[in-house]
Every structure is written in C-alpha cells, then in structure tokens.
Amino acid sequence: MNGQPVWLASVSYSKKSRIVATGNWPKFRFRRAERLAHRILFGVGDDEKERGFRMNITFCVHRALSESEKDQLPSEWQGAPGGLAGGPVEVLFSRGIETTQAALPCTDPSRDIIDSTRPDLWFPIDCGICYPCEARLVCRE
C-alpha cells in the first residue's frame, strides 16, 4: 500500500486434511473467507483502506494501519521504505486505496510448484517485463 505498514489476515481452506487451492474455491468460499478475515481484523487498522486478493493457497486481506497505530510504531519504522512479498495471483477487491501496477498480478508468471504431487499449488514468479513486474522492481529498488 504505497510503502505503508499493513495488517494481514490470511485464510486457507482444507477438505479431508488436504489444502484446497483457491483456484478451485466456489464463490461462497471466498465470501466466507472475507467474512472471517474481517472478523479477524475487527478493531485494528483503517477499515476504509484495504485490499483483498488471493494467492494459490490463501485468501488475504491487507488493511492499512490507522494513523494512531502508525504513530505508535518505533521511530526506526517512521519513513522506512516498505517492502513487497511479491505479486498476488488475483486482486479481488480494493477499497479506499489506489490500485497501483505494483499491486496487480504478473501477466505471465512462471510457477514455482510448492508440492510436486499438487500442480495446483504454486507460487507465482514474476516475469519481470510486464507493467506490474516493472512496478514491483521499482519498489524494490
């Protein structure tokens, strides 16, 4: 969120002790995960500034810290550059914040398979040349 600290709620789903990839979730599962994430985040951050996205194992919500929470951060955090964990697989919603290129998925990611027996579970690796990837490179620099 433009270098601002965020709260993160992350929800996964398993069936019969087996993780279900978010690409296989029905719509109601995302609605349920969003409700759970908002319950987890209740009372923290600025609920007017958040983004929901999915990775292949988790549904996630990033919520901006409130101004009072930012003021309570240690001095070394004030003005420190933000970091990125990488791009999402899909942005599902964005509220009260600009959706920058750096927050969007790579248009042609390679796949780092997490488990060789589960090709549906992969981590996206940026191609490095599309607009979202170029924007993430700028943020990292």
Side-chain angles (χ1 to χ4, degrees), residues 66-67 95 107:
S66 68
E67 290 302 317
R95 296 184 188 105
T107 60

Side-chain angles (χ1 to χ4, degrees), residues 9-11 32-42 59 61:
S10 179
V11 179
R32 208 178 266 177
E34 184 176 352
R35 282 194 307 269
L36 179 57
H38 283 119
R39 198 166 48 216
I40 292 165
L41 292 170
F42 181 77
F59 164 84
V61 174

